[in-house]
Amino acid sequence: LLSFVRSFWIGARETARRMIGVPDYAAYLRHQREHHPERAPLVYAAFFARAQAARYRGTGGRCC
């Protein structure tokens, strides 16, 4: 039961974040490891600032 509640909470939190436009840092880190291993990933604060700037600029924030 505890694992179900934890899994549900994580899913609900991620859904809420997507609904309000908060970017997924874990997905960004996975992408960096898989596609850009030579680059150091941004710290969360820099990642969030870049994502918000891209969101309000209308570029979508994608690198590739």
Side-chain angles (χ1 to χ4, degrees), residues 7 22 24 40 55 58:
S7 176
V22 175
D24 186 357
R55 177 180 183 206

Side-chain angles (χ1 to χ4, degrees), residues 10-26 44 52 55:
I10 290 170
R13 183 180 63 192
E14 290 304 314
T15 298
R17 286 180 175 174
R18 286 188 196 115
M19 289 173 66
I20 61 172
V22 175
D24 186 357
Y25 187 62
Y44 182 78
Q52 289 299 301
R55 177 180 183 206

Side-chain angles (χ1 to χ4, degrees), residues 1-15:
L1 179 63
L2 186 57
S3 65
F4 171 76
V5 171
R6 179 174 164 72
S7 176
F8 178 80
W9 173 251
I10 290 170
R13 183 180 63 192
E14 290 304 314
T15 298

Side-chain angles (χ1 to χ4, degrees), residues 41-58:
L42 298 173
V43 296
Y44 182 78
F47 164 77
F48 184 80
R50 187 183 73 175
Q52 289 299 301
R55 177 180 183 206
Y56 292 111
R57 224 181 11 247

